[in-house]
Amino acid sequence: MRSSIALIGFMGAGKTAVGKVLARKLGKEFIEMDSLIEQKAGKTIPEIFNEAGEIRFRELEIEVTKEVAGKKHVVIACGGGVVLNKINIDRLRQEAIIVYLKAPPQVILKRVAKDENERPLLGEDQARRIKELLSFRKPFYERAADTTIDTSKLDIDSVAEQIIEEVKDNESPN
Ligand code: S3P
């Protein structure tokens, strides 16, 4: 039986906000992968992207995923691009049920528009980049997901409750 939950989905889907609430409700430890990457690099995510590039960021992401993947009884908020390397999902799935938090481009745009500097991948034309990246990544998210929750019309607490409902009788889907 898998005892952990990994939240995947695009930037702004609510992985961190939902993850914190979910971990508290379930009495599990909350882990944020982006923070671990920043700690490991001694730099912020935008600094890593600007100074070392996306490929270096993805290497760090693979290392951190490997470190957290075996942990039991944790809720992991993954970075939005974790699905791009299949090895990450294979590792996470050993101990975690993978929950895809889904939201349409216009909802994502509203949620990320505020923190422009924090999202190095979105550049200046955020609306266009979100659409492009989302359509490219859609199959990756769908293939990785054990279960999917549409977060566009739900508040944080309701998403967490829905995840609890989904995983309750279903600790080992797929
Ligand atoms: C990324 C998402 C970010 C962060 C990095 C790359 C992506 O995480 O890992 O900027 O490729 O989608 P959040 O989804 O937590 O914003």
Side-chain angles (χ1 to χ4, degrees):
M1 289 260 267
R2 292 179 281 177
S3 64
S4 294
I5 295 173
L7 302 178
I8 61 164
F10 205 75
M11 294 168 244
K15 302 177 297 270
T16 301
V18 169
K20 283 181 184 163
V21 172
L22 183 64
R24 200 186 57 228
K25 284 179 186 277
L26 293 172
K28 296 185 195 281
E29 183 196 346
F30 174 68
I31 295 176
E32 215 221 0
M33 244 192 244
D34 284 347
S35 305
L36 295 183
I37 293 170
E38 290 184 325
Q39 277 171 32
K40 198 177 208 31
K43 291 176 184 165
T44 65
I45 302 233
E47 282 168 352
I48 303 171
F49 271 79
N50 291 333
E51 293 168 22
E54 181 174 353
I55 294 185
R56 178 65 192 134
F57 174 80
R58 297 296 169 207
E59 285 171 359
L60 289 164
E61 187 171 54
I62 289 171
E63 284 173 30
V64 166
T65 305
K66 190 176 180 187
E67 287 162 18
V68 301
K71 287 188 185 267
K72 292 179 193 297
H73 304 289
V74 295
V75 173
I76 307 165
C78 299
V82 78
V83 292
L84 298 173
N85 288 297
K86 184 174 177 289
I87 184 86
N88 291 334
I89 298 301
D90 291 345
R91 286 180 171 146
L92 285 166
R93 208 188 300 285
Q94 288 165 22
E95 195 51 48
I97 298 170
I98 300 185
V99 179
Y100 171 28
L101 301 186
K102 190 174 150 182
Q106 61 277 20
V107 172
I108 287 172
L109 182 63
K110 255 193 219 151
R111 291 185 188 160
V112 302
K114 281 164 255 145
D115 41 39
E116 207 176 305
N117 300 325
E118 314 268 303
R119 316 282 185 177
L121 274 180
L122 296 183
E124 284 181 5
D125 191 349
Q126 290 194 331
R128 190 176 53 86
R129 276 301 275 161
I130 288 169
K131 271 195 197 137
E132 280 171 6
L133 279 175
L134 205 54
S135 70
F136 177 77
R137 289 184 179 179
K138 190 171 177 265
F140 291 84
Y141 291 129
E142 288 175 352
R143 209 175 305 138
D146 290 314
T147 184
T148 299
I149 293 175
D150 186 340
T151 69
S152 47
K153 295 194 184 67
L154 296 173
D155 62 22
I156 291 165
D157 203 73
S158 314
V159 175
E161 286 300 330
Q162 205 170 317
I163 295 171
I164 291 170
E165 221 21 64
E166 290 277 334
V167 302
K168 190 167 67 185
D169 320 306
N170 201 11
E171 296 249 334
S172 252
N174 283 359

